[in-house]
Amino acid sequence: MLLQVPRGTKDILPQEITTWQEFEVKSRQVFCLYNYFEIRTPIFENIALFKRSLGDSTDIVQKQMFVIKQGKDKFVLRPEGTASIARAYLENNLGFGTKLRKLFYIGPMFRAERPQKGRLRQFHHIGAEAIGLSSHNLDIELIEISDYLLQTLGISKYKFIINSLGCHNDKLKFGILLKKTLLKHKKNLCGECKLRLSRNVFRVLDCKNEECRKITNALKFDHSYLCDDCKTHFDKVLEGVNKFNIDYEVREQLVRGLDYYSGVVFEIIHPELGAQDALGAGGRYDHLFKELSNKEIGAAGFAFGMERLMLVSPMKSSPKQLSGYIITLGREATDRGLDMLREIRRAGISCDFNYSDSSLKSKLKEANKLGARFVILIGEDEINKKRVTIRYMEESKQEEIEFEGVVNFLKEAIN
Ligand code: HAM
């Protein structure tokens, strides 16, 4: 039986890769405009990092980690980027000499989830983390950059859902309030959520069980748990966002599925995504650094799922075009053609050579299939005349050119 890719993973094929590359190039350009620098961290990390950062009782840590055992060590294929970036920031002293370190990343993440549309086991994040400050202006900038990124990728019809969990103390108060309310519904909650009530009440809000969802969707909160500073911070963020003409809604139930969040959190949803409707999400996680290093460091960020962005983006790039394609007939022509191939490539022009023994007709067919713009034909006649025949593949015409003129001809023709 033919072996297949593991469920929930995908090959990104040559005909799709240009779209991926364009998404990456455009994202890098946007990050550059906002002064974010790229960082690449390992694909796997020590298991302790994610347990401590994301929270022991989160779905990711409980059910979705791909664990690698190597001797006495336990590693995890990274399920997200924030924890790794926080580790890298601390380990490499990236805060040295600067109040704010702005970083971005593009790369694969791994979660052992049940695959469905928009939910994969290996997917890709485009993410940003701004570390060093707790300013509301940074929260506003992150929302604005997310919005600009989506626009740059041609995406519309999305909506921001925004909430504030408040500082660490406020979040504790919010938790108590939530627990008090949920205890009234305890008998209708699933077994796991009954446990979550005492372990980590926020995780009840992530439950996929229908009964639990009915209960949590109907919950009404106000922001009474926010202290004055957090209330002012939240108001300022919303004031800033109001200026951008961004479609948003404040939703008190939005707590996010990872424990490290505090302060302002947000999610960006899209109506065409179906059940997995989040294009991306983010927020503030000031308390994470306290957890990892006992230092007070403000930080916030976001990440988009690239596969989901692609599902709703109209941007599709056509495969890269091959400029030249050399077809030769006879030994001498082949030798001359191979020299020419090297010359053309070294002049910065894409070119390939048909190495097969097939007929001229099938070689031309191959050139067509590859989307070559110009075929350079060299046969016995051409060798005698020291000229090549150039066939224009997009028009039905051809012309003869001296051997020495081929590189210049291609240079001019492809510009
Ligand atoms: P997250 O909400 O877990 O947040 O993931 C961010 C986005 O990744 C989601 O909104 C979704 O588009 C995509 N995503 C998540 N899981 C899958 C999956 N199984 N298949 C396909 N796409 C998926 C984080 O990971 C945080 N680290 C975001 C962040 C950065 N917060 C602060 N900084």
Side-chain angles (χ1 to χ4, degrees), residues 378-413:
I378 315 175
E380 210 177 309
D381 199 27
E382 280 82 6
I383 289 289
N384 290 335
K385 288 199 250 170
K386 293 197 169 31
R387 293 168 85 83
V388 302
T389 300
I390 301 247
R391 187 173 285 202
Y392 292 60
M393 297 300 280
E394 283 156 14
E395 305 147 61
S396 48
K397 89 176 191 189
Q398 60 182 43
E399 66 178 286
E400 284 188 5
I401 286 181
E402 285 180 2
F403 281 166
E404 288 69 32
V406 173
V407 169
N408 272 343
F409 165 85
L410 288 174
K411 255 190 198 161
E412 277 170 30

Side-chain angles (χ1 to χ4, degrees), residues 3-247:
L3 291 173
Q4 294 179 332
V5 285
R7 225 159 67 86
T9 70
K10 274 186 184 166
D11 298 313
I12 303 170
L13 299 171
Q15 60 266 32
E16 300 160 309
I17 206 76
T18 40
T19 305
W20 280 79
Q21 287 165 341
E22 195 153 334
F23 266 63
E24 291 169 11
V25 167
K26 291 221 152 110
S27 307
R28 285 195 171 91
Q29 282 165 348
V30 169
F31 285 127
C32 186
L33 291 175
Y34 287 74
N35 197 30
Y36 282 72
F37 288 82
E38 185 163 359
I39 181 165
R40 299 186 192 184
T41 57
I43 297 289
F44 61 92
E45 298 267 1
N46 285 306
I47 193 166
L49 175 68
F50 297 111
K51 284 191 167 185
R52 259 166 80 185
S53 307
L54 314 189
D56 251 337
S57 49
T58 55
D59 272 359
I60 295 186
V61 170
Q62 287 284 314
K63 306 175 192 164
Q64 299 169 359
M65 293 205 295
F66 281 104
V67 179
I68 308 165
K69 283 190 196 135
Q70 178 64 39
K72 283 194 285 174
D73 298 318
K74 262 192 192 174
F75 303 103
V76 173
L77 293 182
R78 62 183 189 190
E80 60 103 57
T82 312
S84 307
I85 308 283
R87 181 210 38 76
Y89 175 91
L90 292 166
E91 190 172 342
N92 300 290
N93 205 9
L94 294 183
F96 184 75
T98 176
K99 279 261 178 292
L100 180 63
R101 184 60 84 163
K102 291 175 165 185
L103 303 163
F104 78 90
Y105 49 99
I106 302 176
M109 305 292 160
F110 307 84
R111 294 185 193 174
E113 296 196 75
R114 202 157 43 82
Q116 63 179 83
K117 183 188 166 205
R119 192 159 77 190
L120 293 153
R121 294 183 148 196
Q122 176 176 340
F123 58 98
H124 295 75
H125 267 171
I126 296 181
E129 312 294 345
I131 306 172
L133 291 178
S134 300
S135 162
H136 64 274
N137 282 316
L138 203 55
D139 298 33
I140 298 172
E141 178 175 290
L142 285 161
I143 292 174
E144 206 262 326
I145 184 172
S146 312
D147 180 53
Y148 189 49
L149 197 58
L150 291 169
Q151 282 175 21
T152 309
L153 300 175
I155 297 169
S156 55
K157 294 193 264 181
Y158 53 86
K159 182 178 188 170
F160 279 74
I161 309 294
I162 308 180
N163 193 22
S164 175
L165 306 173
C167 56
H168 189 59
N169 277 342
D170 292 354
K171 200 175 162 188
L172 291 176
K173 273 194 266 169
F174 185 17
I176 293 168
L177 195 74
L178 184 59
K179 187 170 173 180
K180 214 165 125 189
T181 318
L182 284 172
L183 275 172
K184 293 181 197 149
H185 303 274
K186 188 172 176 181
K187 67 174 186 321
N188 295 323
L189 291 173
C190 72
E192 211 173 322
C193 279
K194 283 187 182 119
L195 293 174
R196 285 171 172 150
L197 281 178
S198 50
R199 281 191 195 151
N200 187 342
V201 67
F202 290 109
R203 303 288 64 96
V204 176
L205 302 185
D206 308 329
C207 186
K208 313 276 185 304
N209 178 294
E210 242 179 67
E211 271 307 300
C212 298
R213 287 194 90 134
K214 254 193 237 158
I215 295 168
T216 52
N217 284 341
L219 290 178
K220 294 260 178 298
F221 307 108
D222 51 24
H223 285 116
S224 58
Y225 55 86
L226 292 181
C227 65
D228 287 348
D229 283 353
C230 290
K231 179 87 186 73
T232 309
H233 184 112
F234 191 33
D235 288 344
K236 282 185 180 161
V237 170
L238 296 181
E239 217 173 277
V241 176
N242 280 332
K243 290 189 193 143
F244 301 143
N245 205 15
I246 287 177
D247 185 13

